Amino acid sequence: MKRNILLHPDPRLKKVCAPVHDVTDEMQRLAADMLETMYDAPGIGLAAPQVGVLSCLIVLDCVKQDGTDPQPIVMFNPEVISRSEETSVYDEGCLSVPEHYAEVIRPAEVEVSWMDQNGIARQKVFANLWATCVQHEIDHLNGKLFIDYLGPIKRQMITRKMQKLKRKKA
Ligand code: NI
C-alpha cells in the first residue's frame, strides 16, 4: 500500500527516530509499503519519518539503469560505523523537498551496520551513489535533511518555496 510522503517543513521530519527492537509484521508491512512508495515516486531512498513513522527504518535501491533487476535494501537501525576520508559531491534531492537539488559533500565510502527484514545483523561498505543515498537516509532518522548542509540563505529560500507549495496543495 502506498503511503503519503510528508513534505518539508514538517515537525516530524525534524525528530530523532526510535530504534526498532523486533521486526514485527507491522514493521515488515511498513518496509514493503515504503518500497512501493519509493518506486512509485520514483526515488532511490526513503526513510520512515518521511511517511510519518518515527522508527529507525530506511529503504533504498540505487540501481537506476533500465533493464537491470531491482536491488531493494531494507535497513532497520542503520548506523555508519566507518567513513572514508575521501569525499564526493552529489547533487542531492529528496522526496520530502521535491524539485529542489543542491550539491552536498559527504564521505565517498561508508561502512554501515543494520538489521535486515529477517532480523539478521548485516554490515557492508557502500560507495558511489549508494554511499550518498544511505548517508542521506540515515540523516533522516536523526531529523536531518540535505538542505541542513546548505548555507542559511539558500536553506531559507528553499523552505519558503516549500511553504508556498504546501499552501497551494492544501
Ligand atoms: Ni530525503
Side-chain angles (χ1 to χ4, degrees), residues 29-44:
R29 222 168 13 248
L30 174 61
D33 287 354
M34 282 170 57
L35 279 169
E36 187 182 339
T37 306
M38 177 190 84
Y39 285 125
D40 179 74
I44 58 172

Side-chain angles (χ1 to χ4, degrees), residues 125-158:
V125 175
F126 293 91
N128 306 313
L129 183 56
W130 286 92
T132 293
C133 184
V134 76
Q135 290 176 82
H136 174 121
E137 300 312 328
I138 291 172
D139 274 352
H140 273 297
L141 304 179
N142 294 303
K144 192 166 183 179
L145 300 175
F146 81 96
I147 56 171
D148 294 327
Y149 290 92
L150 311 179
I153 293 173
K154 188 145 194 222
R155 185 169 62 241
Q156 281 158 21
M157 192 190 76
I158 291 175

